Amino acid sequence: MSIAHTNSQASGGEIQPASDSDFIARIAQALAQHIAPTVPHSVALWDIATIASYLHRSEQHTRQWIVTMDGFPRPIRIPSGKVTSTERARPLWRSKDVVEWAESHVAA
């Protein structure tokens, strides 16, 4: 994708430079079309990878030691919807619950 720093041709056939604010507005609009909307923290669901990243731990350590700790929030398991599926639904956690749990471990 190309965003030119020019306006359309003027009446005399010459190309006029766009103002900086117009150019910035066009760049912002182009970027907005490529950025996925963020889910609010209050309703976001996190997987193991996201929890591990948030806690600065590996996924393996998070899966084996963190999410199995007493007091860690219980996961949500949303069914896949496939009638014939025998696999368990992937665990997800409410981000706000994980953050509250982490903040409960602030050193005194």
Side-chain angles (χ1 to χ4, degrees):
M1 172 167 68
S2 173
I3 300 176
H5 194 147
T6 57
N7 280 334
S8 58
Q9 292 183 343
S11 59
E14 59 196 56
I15 297 175
Q16 299 293 317
S19 71
D20 287 343
S21 60
D22 289 341
F23 183 63
I24 291 170
R26 280 193 268 158
I27 290 172
Q29 183 179 19
L31 285 172
Q33 292 173 352
H34 294 285
I35 297 172
T38 57
V39 176
H41 169 67
S42 61
V43 296
L45 296 176
W46 285 356
D47 59 9
I48 289 284
T50 307
I51 294 169
S53 176
Y54 173 74
L55 297 174
H56 299 275
R57 301 290 187 266
S58 70
E59 287 183 40
Q60 180 180 350
H61 179 84
T62 301
R63 184 179 296 106
Q64 187 173 359
W65 299 103
I66 302 295
V67 301
T68 59
M69 292 176 70
D70 287 338
F72 194 83
R74 294 181 50 91
I76 295 171
R77 293 187 185 271
I78 299 172
S80 68
K82 297 179 182 178
V83 176
T84 60
S85 177
T86 58
E87 63 184 76
R88 269 184 94 183
R90 184 175 72 139
L92 299 169
W93 289 262
R94 290 180 189 97
S95 61
K96 66 179 183 171
D97 294 345
V98 174
V99 170
E100 287 173 9
W101 175 85
E103 290 178 348
S104 73
H105 291 84
V106 172

